[in-house]
Amino acid sequence: MDQLYKELKNFGKVKLKESLAKHTTFKIGGPAKYFVIVEDVAKLSELLKYLDAQGIPYVVIGGGSNMLVSDDGFDGVIIRIKGGGVKVKSDVIEAGAGCTTVQVAQESIKAGLTGFEWGVGVPGTIGGAVRGNAGAMGGDMNKVIEKVEVYQDGEVVEYSNEESSFKYRDSIFKHNGGIILRVWLKLEKGENRDLQKQAITNIQYRNQTQPHGHASSGCTFKNVEIREDSNFKIKIPQDFLEKGIISAGWLIDQCNIKGYTAGNAQVSEKHGNFIVNLGGATANDVLSIIDHVKGEVYNTFGINLQEEIQII
Ligand SMILES: Cc1cc2nc3c(=O)[nH]c(=O)nc-3n(C[C@H](O)[C@H](O)[C@H](O)COP(=O)(O)OP(=O)(O)OC[C@H]3O[C@@H](n4cnc5c(N)ncnc54)[C@H](O)[C@@H]3O)c2cc1C
């Protein structure tokens, strides 16, 4: 066995040539040369420090629910962050970055705290949710995060909510390479029965609107923010104008390309912004759909869609 394999074993469970299709909700992706599962927050920052010092390329993943991994896989170390524990202290929830968003939301409901009920339907980890400022049902991480502990350039530092620069599906960590280690959510006291009800309503709504039965990575494209200088080729419906954002799914619907297929990937017939894996799809199948959808939306509306999913 090589030296790196032996070193990695100090930080967690290591696998060689692990198929990344097994670790993404798309069920797509070639092998990782090294795949290490890290469950301890302190060990995670030590591992990151070690890899940085050695100049070894790595990518951190959580639930793999917002990514498309190349069919060639990754020629370095994939670090799968898992767990890290959830603690509730009064109206603050502390969670390791590898805890699932669902688990954190469920703990918040159990503790009679409100503000994060929408998290019960979002796949992946709370670390991944912070990085992409995940959101649903009118909520997002920006509205609940108090502070975040981050590994950056060999150090562990804290970012306040403000310093995290949350924007629509964006945060500073998408741009500065910060790896989220631990998060603190500040919520409010609520009525337990109402919270459970709200969580069930959220899940029912998702079940009605999102495709089931096929692997996917959720919404492929970001919704389109309307700026003062936006100049669209079409008349935008009033409700989008009022919200200041146009649904990417609506734009795709208008192009009549639901059901468009490339290889074994397809624009979902139920939700235009979902690409589904019909079984055995490759990353190239998905990329070719992404190209097609972007082209159709641009030709029809003059709008450049941007990917919400991370391409690795
Ligand atoms: C069926 C379905 C429904 C979805 N619904 C929603 C929804 O309603 N709202 C929504 O916002 N999203 C939704 N998503 C997308 C996805 O669930 C979220 O973006 C989620 O927060 C991603 O978390 P993850 O742990 O899976 O991230 P991953 O996919 O593992 O990683 C995404 C990116 O974040 C990076 N990353 C992961 N963990 C960390 C960390 N700790 N520190 C730094 N970088 C990190 C990765 O390198 C990668 O670039 C949905 C996805 C699916 C499949």
Side-chain angles (χ1 to χ4, degrees):
M1 282 300 157
D2 65 37
Q3 187 59 29
L4 180 55
Y5 176 80
K6 281 191 204 145
E7 290 290 343
L8 291 175
K9 282 179 80 157
N10 295 321
F11 303 98
K13 190 172 172 192
V14 188
K15 297 179 182 187
L16 295 174
K17 295 195 190 136
E18 174 74 352
S19 161
L20 292 172
K22 284 180 15 198
H23 301 278
T24 61
T25 57
F26 239 147
K27 306 277 172 247
I28 293 175
K33 188 166 182 190
Y34 301 92
F35 185 89
V36 52
I37 303 168
V38 184
E39 303 197 32
D40 179 298
V41 174
K43 283 204 167 160
L44 175 59
S45 57
E46 278 173 38
L47 169 60
L48 294 165
K49 218 183 235 180
Y50 169 77
L51 294 174
D52 276 343
Q54 302 293 317
I56 296 167
Y58 62 85
V59 171
V60 163
I61 68 166
S65 65
N66 196 29
M67 54 167 63
L68 175 65
V69 177
S70 155
D71 301 319
D72 295 334
F74 184 70
D75 189 23
V77 181
I78 293 282
I79 304 169
R80 163 71 164 102
I81 307 186
K82 229 176 174 179
V86 182
K87 286 185 214 155
V88 183
K89 261 195 204 153
S90 181
D91 57 357
V92 173
I93 299 205
E94 177 191 328
C99 293
T100 65
T101 301
V102 172
Q103 182 195 356
V104 177
Q106 281 170 344
E107 292 292 337
S108 75
I109 292 168
K110 241 198 264 167
L113 296 172
T114 183
F116 199 46
E117 298 86 304
W118 57 268
V120 290
V122 177
T125 60
I126 199 78
V130 167
R131 180 181 184 272
N133 189 20
M137 316 295 292
D140 63 16
M141 297 311 294
N142 182 25
K143 292 190 179 139
V144 292
I145 284 293
E146 180 178 60
K147 61 177 181 174
V148 184
E149 187 182 87
V150 173
Y151 168 89
Q152 198 178 11
D153 303 326
E155 289 187 41
V156 175
V157 289
E158 268 187 18
Y159 278 73
S160 66
N161 176 302
E162 234 170 47
E163 288 165 339
S164 304
S165 300
F166 291 113
K167 297 197 190 77
Y168 169 65
R169 298 293 176 268
D170 194 35
S171 75
I172 197 163
F173 313 115
K174 269 195 175 180
H175 309 282
N176 70 5
I179 303 297
I180 296 131
L181 304 173
R182 213 188 306 260
V183 311
W184 285 262
L185 279 69
K186 176 123 174 67
L187 304 173
E188 281 173 24
K189 295 271 173 221
E191 204 48 63
N192 199 280
R193 213 148 44 100
D194 296 347
L195 300 176
Q196 299 280 9
K197 239 192 199 160
Q198 188 55 49
I200 292 167
T201 310
N202 289 354
I203 288 178
Q204 284 169 339
Y205 175 77
R206 300 175 74 86
N207 287 341
Q208 281 160 17
T209 53
Q210 295 184 354
H212 290 281
H214 289 304
S216 83
S217 211
C219 286
T220 312
F221 302 100
K222 290 183 184 178
N223 293 327
V224 179
E225 291 183 279
I226 302 174
R227 298 192 315 261
E228 267 178 28
D229 60 345
S230 294
N231 183 14
F232 300 121
K233 270 194 198 169
I234 42 138
K235 190 168 176 328
I236 303 294
Q238 192 58 29
D239 56 331
F240 292 143
L241 289 177
E242 279 163 17
K243 285 186 194 145
I245 199 152
I246 310 172
S247 145
W250 180 82
L251 292 168
I252 296 164
D253 287 358
Q254 305 307 301
C255 297
N256 290 322
I257 46 175
K258 278 179 168 173
Y260 174 83
T261 304
N264 291 317
Q266 184 179 60
V267 178
S268 161
E269 286 170 351
K270 190 164 181 185
H271 189 313
N273 202 7
F274 274 57
I275 296 176
V276 291
N277 178 352
L278 299 175
T282 63
N284 281 337
D285 293 341
V286 176
L287 289 172
S288 110
I289 293 204
I290 288 176
D291 266 2
H292 183 75
V293 171
K294 284 172 102 169
E296 291 289 311
V297 169
Y298 186 77
N299 291 338
T300 312
F301 302 106
I303 291 174
N304 275 313
L305 285 180
Q306 283 182 359
E307 289 84 347
E308 180 176 325
I309 56 172
Q310 308 298 305
I311 298 174
I312 289 169

